[in-house]
Amino acid sequence: MSVIEKRPKLIVFTIEECPVCGQKMKRPFQAGDYITKETTKCSKCSNTLRISLIYAENAKQS
Amino acid sequence: MSIVSNIMLQSTIDLNTLFYILYFITFPIFIFYGQRLQMMMSLSEVGRALNRLMMMRDKARKETIDYIKDVGKAPNDPSERIDQFLDYVTIMPVDLDPSGIVNKIDHIVTTKDERVRAEVKSLISDTNPVTLSVSENLLEVASTLNTIHKIVRHYYLLGKKTNSYFLIYQLQMIMPMILQEADALLNAVDTFKQGQPVGDGIGPLVVSRYMVGREKQPIAKDTVMAVSEYKGRKLYILKAEGPMGYVGQPGVAMRRVIEEMGVKPSAIIMIDAALKLEGEKTGEIAEGVGAAIGGIGVEKFQIEEVATKHKIPLYAILIKQSILEAITVMRKEIAEATDKVIQRLNRLIEEKTKEGDTVLVAGIGNSLGVGQ
């Protein structure tokens, strides 16, 4: 009864976005990350980056 | 030469006749004992699936105990309390007289939720609300897997005891679906432990974009509200409070906004995840009418009641995904649907309302990993 198909390995990423200049950064998920959390300074305009998305994609795709 | 060959050569029996005789012997055996043979095969298959369910239950139980000990910093060994909790029963009210049953179900479910929260609070010493909510979610997963295993085991043993082929055969037919759901639940354990957003969190994720930078206020248990604006319309945005893993009380929240606060929305728009049919793509967006909310039906009843009483149109935006994708970490296709959903939401607001109107927008789903 092999209904549980082999699933590809997933890697979780965090997308940080600057609310002012729109710069986006993609990095691996870290414990404590959540959407709308303010993180570091934007390298372009020095405003605070905010986490806009957290998602998983296949290891092959990434 | 062998003895058999000698006998065959000496007698008039050839190979064809031998097979013919064997056929006549085995045919009645399959007629009289075929069903029993099939039953043995079905029992073996269901037995193997039952073992898998037991391993899944044990793994979920262990992960829950480890989380409560390590992250929750439980002062004592919580294993015994957790084992007791896994067997908790919620007895639904009698439905002989269905009138007023929704309120009774609401009362029972609220009592259960409060009890679970109190129990978990007494087990852990970490006061972080995310830890508390994740512990509750893990206990729920372990409890569900325990229930699934018990029910399957009951029918398996009953079928074996009574030699009921039809009972075992029915169980065998639905086992693939049961295993799929159990596997999805087990996969959810890792996601909950990490505090990562799940696919079901797409509704809260979409509305959180409208809430950023706005003042948030609690409106119901585990539910927050913010007031925003879009092209001259006033938006009342509701979602479960994140990044904790709660679904909130959108029904109670809507009733409070409309009846206690006196807000008169021209439309209620609900955004939720929906189960996709086989062949549909993950992240596909569908629009419709009606209360887009799952669960036992209490919240749905409350929303429909308040919308009907005040004659407010109910619109829905649904994001398609599978059961596994809904309760495990949010997939890229679902996350990337956020911008498309926002476009559809904005278009719906512009088409169905005019400037100066008020719109109530609710992001339905589990807010784990989604702040506001």
Side-chain angles (χ1 to χ4, degrees):
Chain A
M1 201 177 282
S2 54
V3 292
I4 318 296
E5 62 265 17
K6 263 201 161 161
R7 285 192 201 97
K9 193 172 172 343
L10 294 173
I11 304 178
V12 186
F13 292 102
T14 298
I15 309 296
E16 292 174 325
E17 195 173 339
C18 178
V20 176
C21 68
Q23 161 138 314
K24 288 186 185 180
M25 263 180 51
K26 184 177 173 180
R27 60 167 174 78
F29 176 84
Q30 288 166 12
D33 282 350
Y34 63 86
I35 292 169
T36 71
K37 183 184 183 186
E38 289 182 339
T39 55
T40 51
K41 296 273 181 218
C42 175
S43 55
K44 256 184 171 177
C45 64
S46 300
N47 282 290
T48 311
L49 290 173
R50 191 177 283 134
I51 295 176
S52 61
L53 287 177
I54 297 171
Y55 59 71
E57 55 181 338
N58 293 345
K60 282 185 191 167
Q61 277 177 357
S62 60
Chain B
M1 276 177 105
S2 71
I3 298 167
V4 172
S5 316
N6 270 336
I7 293 168
M8 278 174 65
L9 278 172
Q10 287 161 22
S11 72
T12 53
I13 299 174
D14 62 4
L15 210 54
N16 274 338
T17 315
L18 189 65
F19 282 128
Y20 203 56
I21 292 166
L22 273 171
Y23 169 76
F24 265 112
I25 293 168
T26 54
F27 190 68
I29 292 174
F30 280 119
I31 295 276
F32 293 110
Y33 296 102
Q35 200 179 69
R36 205 169 282 190
L37 275 168
Q38 268 189 302
M39 171 106 161
M40 277 166 59
M41 284 166 58
S42 299
L43 271 172
S44 160
E45 202 171 314
V46 173
R48 279 198 303 274
L50 192 57
N51 273 335
R52 288 198 65 176
L53 284 174
M54 187 177 71
M55 286 189 328
M56 287 182 188
R57 180 209 57 188
D58 291 342
K59 183 159 190 242
R61 176 186 168 273
K62 186 182 176 305
E63 297 277 356
T64 306
I65 291 171
D66 289 346
Y67 184 86
I68 287 177
K69 266 190 203 166
D70 303 336
V71 182
K73 299 183 183 60
N76 306 311
D77 183 12
S79 309
E80 193 184 331
R81 293 282 294 277
I82 287 171
D83 284 336
Q84 286 171 1
F85 182 85
L86 293 187
D87 286 329
Y88 272 6
V89 173
T90 305
I91 304 168
M92 283 293 140
V94 67
D95 57 1
L96 285 174
D97 181 5
S99 165
I101 200 170
V102 174
N103 285 336
K104 289 184 194 173
I105 295 174
D106 187 24
H107 174 65
I108 301 278
V109 170
T110 306
T111 308
K112 177 211 161 198
D113 288 344
E114 283 169 4
R115 184 170 185 187
V116 168
R117 195 165 293 189
E119 289 271 353
V120 173
K121 260 190 187 159
S122 70
L123 279 177
I124 63 176
S125 55
D126 186 5
T127 53
N128 185 342
V130 178
T131 308
L132 176 63
S133 75
V134 168
S135 304
E136 285 180 50
N137 286 334
L138 289 176
L139 270 170
E140 178 131 7
V141 168
S143 175
T144 307
L145 282 169
N146 185 47
T147 305
I148 291 173
H149 170 257
K150 277 188 161 184
I151 293 173
V152 171
R153 186 181 61 182
H154 164 73
Y155 286 109
Y156 169 75
L157 291 175
L158 188 65
K160 203 174 174 184
K161 204 192 243 185
T162 55
N163 260 329
S164 168
Y165 176 62
F166 289 107
L167 196 55
I168 297 298
Y169 194 51
Q170 281 177 87
L171 197 54
Q172 185 186 14
M173 281 198 289
I174 63 168
M175 273 320 288
M177 270 89 76
I178 293 173
L179 279 174
Q180 236 175 18
E181 196 157 322
D183 187 56
L185 280 166
L186 189 62
N187 276 287
V189 167
D190 270 331
T191 305
F192 290 150
K193 279 168 61 177
Q194 304 277 338
Q196 293 162 347
V198 296
D200 189 44
I202 184 65
L205 169 54
V206 167
V207 302
S208 69
R209 297 275 179 98
Y210 291 83
M211 286 173 125
V212 169
R214 306 279 175 175
E215 194 194 320
K216 272 76 78 170
Q217 62 182 90
I219 186 75
K221 185 181 161 207
D222 304 327
T223 315
V224 291
M225 181 190 78
V227 181
S228 185
E229 185 269 341
Y230 176 73
K231 290 201 175 174
R233 286 89 166 159
K234 193 172 185 183
L235 305 183
Y236 283 81
I237 315 286
L238 302 172
K239 79 179 267 291
E241 191 178 4
M244 289 78 77
Y246 296 132
V247 293
Q249 291 183 324
V252 173
M254 278 192 206
R255 188 177 47 76
R256 284 199 183 145
V257 168
I258 295 169
E259 293 185 350
E260 291 174 26
M261 289 174 62
V263 172
K264 288 176 177 40
S266 307
I268 297 173
I269 303 174
M270 299 176 73
I271 302 156
D272 193 11
L275 282 179
K276 67 176 185 180
L277 299 170
E278 290 297 329
E280 286 186 313
K281 280 197 183 136
T282 299
E284 258 182 32
I285 300 164
E287 287 181 51
V289 294
I293 183 166
I296 205 165
V298 169
E299 295 288 323
K300 191 168 184 195
F301 178 90
Q302 290 167 345
I303 293 167
E304 288 164 354
E305 203 178 37
V306 77
T308 308
K309 187 176 167 188
H310 297 273
K311 297 195 184 351
I312 306 167
L314 263 173
Y315 300 109
I317 299 176
L318 306 169
I319 299 94
K320 302 291 187 81
Q321 51 201 264
S322 69
I323 180 82
L324 177 70
E325 287 158 349
I327 62 173
T328 52
V329 62
M330 189 179 285
R331 301 293 197 268
K332 187 179 179 185
E333 300 89 343
I334 299 168
E336 286 178 344
T338 308
D339 288 334
K340 290 183 212 160
V341 174
I342 289 174
Q343 279 173 15
R344 295 260 202 138
L345 175 59
N346 290 341
R347 197 198 68 203
L348 196 58
I349 294 171
E350 285 171 48
E351 280 176 5
K352 301 296 178 192
T353 64
K354 53 188 189 306
E355 277 189 41
D357 280 351
T358 305
V359 185
L360 215 154
V361 181
I364 307 296
N366 191 308
S367 274
L368 183 66
V370 183
Q372 52 274 330

